[in-house]
Amino acid sequence: MKEIMDKGKIDHYLIQFGLEEVFPEPLRQHLALYRFEPDEALCLQGEEPQFLFLLVQGKVKVYTTSTEGRTLLINFTNPLGVIGEIECLRGKENLNTVTAVSLVETIGVFKRWVEQNALEASFLRFLLDMVAEKFYMKSISLSSNLLYPVEVRLASYLLSVSYDDEVEANPRVSMSNMKDTANLIGTSYRHLNRVLQSFCSAGLLERRRGKLVVIDRKGLTAVAGQNIYEKGERRNGI
C-alpha cells in the first residue's frame, strides 16, 4: 500500500462519484489516497480493520476462507465500492479477504475518524445505503452462484481477472494458481482442467508458457451470459 499525497485527485474522485456532500468537513480533512498493486491485499480475513476504503479505480477480488483452508469467491468489486464499513461501524474483525486484481486506487480514512463521524447524517445515510446494497448482492451471490454450471463460473472468473482495461489485445491469466481458482469457484481441479480444455478447443483460450491467453473475449462473454461475479456493480456514484 502506497499513500499518494494528492488532495486535488481526491477532490476529483469525490466529484466524479457525487460524494462532495457525503463527507462532513471534520472527516474530509482526514481522507487520503492509497494505491495497491495487483495481488496486494487491502484487508485480510480475521484481522482488525484499520481503514475504511472507497474503491475509486481498478478492481478487487473478495473471498472468504474456511477453517479448513478452503476458499470461496464472493465477488469482484468495481468502483464505486466500499471496503470495511461494516467492520468499522461494528468493531468486528474483517469478514473477508480483499485483494487487488488490477492497479487499484482508493480513498481511505482511519477507522477512528469513521467512528467519530458515524452519526453525521449524510455520511451515515451513505454507509447504510452501501451496506444494504452489499448484503443484497452478497445474498444473491452466495445463494445462486454455485448453482451455475462450472463453465459459467469459470468464464465469469476469467472475464473478471482479465479485466476490461488490459493494455494487451489478448490478456493473459497465470496458470500457477489453478488449484486455488478451482477452490474459489467451487469445483475440483480435475473438472476445472476439463472445462479449460473445452474452452481451448473452442478457440476461446490458448495455453502459452504457463499462461492462459484470452483469444475470444466475446465468445467467453457468451458462455458466461452475464458475469455472475460482477452483477449489479455501482459505477456512477450513489
Side-chain angles (χ1 to χ4, degrees):
M1 182 175 75
K2 180 179 180 181
E3 183 174 354
I4 309 297
M5 306 301 293
D6 191 337
K7 185 179 183 301
K9 198 168 187 181
I10 292 175
D11 291 340
H12 168 77
Y13 280 132
L14 293 179
I15 293 171
Q16 178 182 346
F17 292 104
L19 301 176
E20 308 100 300
E21 305 301 323
V22 165
F23 294 96
E25 188 56 37
L27 182 59
R28 188 163 178 166
Q29 64 182 328
H30 295 292
L31 299 180
L33 192 66
Y34 296 95
R35 181 173 295 162
F36 296 84
E37 298 295 325
D39 298 322
E40 188 175 0
L42 283 73
C43 63
L44 297 173
Q45 181 179 340
E47 290 191 352
E48 182 180 349
Q50 300 298 318
F51 292 91
L52 169 75
F53 290 118
L54 298 181
L55 176 65
V56 291
Q57 181 176 303
K59 181 186 293 184
V60 297
K61 177 171 63 178
V62 184
Y63 61 94
T64 188
T65 304
S66 71
T67 54
E68 294 79 22
R70 293 182 62 84
T71 56
L72 178 65
L73 178 63
I74 295 175
N75 60 22
F76 290 86
T77 299
N78 297 284
L80 177 67
V82 181
I83 301 161
E85 76 285 10
I86 301 170
E87 293 86 347
C88 284
L89 289 174
R90 300 298 298 167
K92 303 292 186 181
E93 297 176 343
N94 292 324
L95 294 171
N96 305 302
T97 295
V98 180
T99 58
V101 174
S102 62
L103 184 67
V104 161
E105 286 190 355
T106 68
I107 295 174
V109 59
F110 278 108
K111 174 185 174 182
R112 67 177 180 272
W113 300 119
V114 174
E115 293 170 338
Q116 290 179 20
N117 292 273
L119 294 182
E120 292 286 345
S122 59
F123 184 52
L124 180 60
R125 180 176 178 180
F126 169 72
L127 291 181
L128 289 176
D129 180 67
M130 298 302 290
V131 168
E133 180 174 320
K134 179 177 290 187
F135 271 99
Y136 176 74
M137 295 311 303
K138 187 175 292 186
S139 177
I140 293 175
S141 172
L142 294 179
S143 64
S144 64
N145 285 356
L146 290 179
L147 300 179
Y148 285 95
V150 173
E151 289 80 2
V152 172
R153 281 180 265 158
L154 180 58
S156 295
Y157 179 84
L158 292 173
L159 288 169
S160 289
V161 296
S162 59
Y163 42 94
D164 295 340
D165 56 350
E166 275 286 359
V167 175
E168 297 183 73
N170 300 113
R172 290 160 167 76
V173 179
S174 174
M175 295 182 64
S176 63
N177 58 352
M178 285 296 103
K179 288 185 177 180
D180 289 340
T181 299
N183 282 334
L184 282 171
I185 67 172
T187 190
S188 68
Y189 179 58
R190 180 176 297 180
H191 193 178
L192 179 74
N193 272 323
R194 286 198 294 267
V195 176
L196 284 175
Q197 183 58 49
S198 70
F199 283 0
C200 290
S201 298
L204 305 178
L205 306 172
E206 284 185 5
R207 299 175 190 252
R208 297 180 191 169
R209 299 180 180 179
K211 302 280 187 181
L212 286 173
V213 183
V214 178
I215 302 300
D216 184 358
R217 189 175 182 88
K218 288 185 178 179
L220 208 58
T221 301
V223 173
Q226 180 184 10
N227 191 330
I228 63 173
Y229 296 123
E230 295 189 38
K231 290 188 292 186
E233 291 299 341
R234 176 182 301 222
R235 299 175 185 271
N236 297 310
I238 62 174

